[in-house]
Amino acid sequence: MGDASTTGSVKITDGNKGSTDLPLLGGTVGPNVIDVRKLYGETGYFTFDPGFTATASCESQITYIDGDEGVLLHRGYSIDHLAEHSDFMEVCYLLLFGELPTVDEKESFVKTVTYHTMVHEQMVNFYRGFRRDAHPMAIMVGVVGALSAFYHDSTDINDPHQRMVASYRLIAKMPTIAAMAYKYSVGQPFMYPDNKSSYAGNFMRMVYGVPAEEYELSPTIERAMDRIFILHADHEQNASTSTVRLAGSSGANPFACIAAGIACLWGPAHGGANEAVLKMLEEIGSVDRVGEYIKRAKDPQDSFRVMGFGHRVYKNYDPRARVMQMTCHEVLNELGVEDDPLLELAMKLEKIALEDEYFVEKKLYPNVDFYSGIVLRAIGFPPEMFTVLFALARTVGWVAQWNEMIADPSQKIGRPRQLYTGPAERPYVPIEKRG
Ligand code: CMC
């Protein structure tokens, strides 16, 4: 790291204190950034940017998004090409190590991941402590955090070998943990992983298989699941990834950091949106009511938003949404439900929104979550599992970003400043004199 180049400077002028030059740093592609690290020391000012709308929190070489053009690249490869030509294991390797694997590298990587797919048998007791109707994301936060209590030999973040073992463990165990959360909710026996199956195939078997019967999976559904995992694998410095980095910046162990990321992902403005989209489509109910909901979304007095629309970075069609829409048609066709009324409703909603002045002006386009709920529901997942699948797939991104941060010599504990508007210091009031 430290590969950014200084491309110039920006002068900050203050009527009272004179002017200060701040370096302008350039990356490979994307806008230059003003390096404000010396701003406070030289001027006594902080910057103010709630929600980090204009702040680069780190230097990274993993993922690049051009939100205006609707471009998403992982290590330089476009998401469309990866979704079409690679499988999820290759994308994991790419995110973690920077290059697509050779045949031998891929074989060895898959072997190492599958070696770690089982969870400590005592973790079963952990599940039994949850209510059967617990939200599976609540279980994920708890169980993933608890991994640090089971795998002590991979929690030393200063040892690169231990960091890599923890990374493999997290990627390998996440499908097992997610499938167990599902099995627990339906009261079926937990299924052990099958290392002969693909990553997606093994997950589906652990979710839908039962010990009493052979499990058969359609190759179209297996490929669709794998593609859904690819589409969610990483998305640069989004809220949950930034949460993982912030938690990790204090030196917390990787399992605790990923649990923090899962907690953040759960929110409806982030990973919880796929569940929220389905709820919204069910609430709208029929194509004739779309207009009413579009009207509500535009009303500043109404908090209703079209879930699955809009994005902090994309001001164009989310490139993942295009692939997801295609996958949606493939899956529904395979399952013989091409005329799913919710899909019809979603397509109508999308069409109306894309032509509506409000949505056009605010550059609100469908994001990855708009179609994913329909696909996952058709495959048979209950809505509460949608965000769990997102977490499963995003784990590799979190882990790659966490590793990059720990290995970066310029890494510091994340500690934002604030603009304080509370009371200035005042005399203490004894209780008998208050009120
Ligand atoms: N429906 C209606 N209006 C919207 C929507 C929407 N989905 N999204 C944004 N707006 C309006 C918003 O009211 C605001 O209007 P105004 O300028 O008049 O106040 C304007 O567009 C800008 O919105 P914002 O909330 O300031 O933008 P943001 O960058 O802070 O929020 C977002 C981005 C994704 C949280 C937001 O678009 C949203 O809530 N979308 C619905 C939830 C969703 O689909 N989330 C999934 C994101 S993609 C997957 C992921 O990364 O997890």
Side-chain angles (χ1 to χ4, degrees), residues 6 8 44 87 103 121 275 292 303-304 315 333 343 359 395 427:
T6 306
D87 62 19
V103 173
E121 193 62 20
E275 186 178 342
E292 179 193 324
S303 62
F304 173 78
K315 301 303 167 198
N333 199 20
L343 177 64
F359 285 78
T395 296

Side-chain angles (χ1 to χ4, degrees), residues 146-309:
L147 290 176
S148 39
F150 287 89
Y151 299 100
H152 299 150
D153 59 344
S154 53
T155 52
D156 179 357
I157 62 153
N158 298 312
D159 176 349
H161 173 70
Q162 290 202 28
R163 291 206 299 269
M164 206 28 77
V165 174
S167 306
Y168 279 117
R169 281 186 168 144
L170 279 157
I171 295 164
K173 292 183 199 308
M174 205 57 84
T176 317
I177 293 169
M180 286 171 80
Y182 173 74
K183 284 298 197 197
Y184 186 71
S185 72
V186 291
Q188 288 183 0
F190 296 135
M191 292 287 284
Y192 286 118
D194 170 22
N195 288 350
K196 288 194 295 303
S197 306
S198 68
Y199 190 86
N202 171 48
F203 173 64
M204 293 297 282
R205 194 185 141 276
M206 288 189 291
V207 170
Y208 293 114
V210 287
E213 280 176 22
E214 279 294 312
Y215 175 69
E216 276 181 35
L217 176 61
S218 125
T220 308
I221 305 295
E222 184 174 3
R223 177 71 189 130
M225 282 310 295
D226 191 77
R227 205 179 291 140
I228 290 169
F229 292 162
I230 292 175
L231 294 180
H232 290 89
D234 191 50
H235 213 225
E236 54 120 301
Q237 309 312 319
N238 56 84
S240 58
T241 302
S242 299
T243 301
V244 169
R245 279 189 179 253
L246 195 57
S249 76
S250 73
N253 76 68
F255 305 110
C257 296
I258 302 303
I262 296 173
C264 177
L265 186 76
W266 194 357
H270 192 6
N274 48 18
E275 186 178 342
V277 169
L278 207 74
K279 282 192 184 138
M280 174 191 73
L281 292 175
E282 278 164 355
E283 189 188 312
I284 297 176
S286 85
V287 170
D288 354 315
R289 297 186 65 203
V290 168
E292 179 193 324
Y293 280 81
I294 293 274
K295 205 166 152 209
R296 281 189 60 193
K298 297 192 295 190
D299 179 354
Q301 308 308 325
D302 192 329
S303 62
F304 173 78
R305 284 185 170 199
V306 178
M307 299 313 285
F309 257 76

Side-chain angles (χ1 to χ4, degrees), residues 235 268-271 273 297 304-312 315 320 358-359 362 364 367-369 390:
H235 213 225
H270 192 6
F304 173 78
R305 284 185 170 199
V306 178
M307 299 313 285
F309 257 76
H311 197 274
R312 170 60 63 77
K315 301 303 167 198
R320 302 168 301 169
Y358 171 94
F359 285 78
K362 293 190 186 304
L364 299 170
N367 59 52
V368 69
D369 290 321
F390 193 155

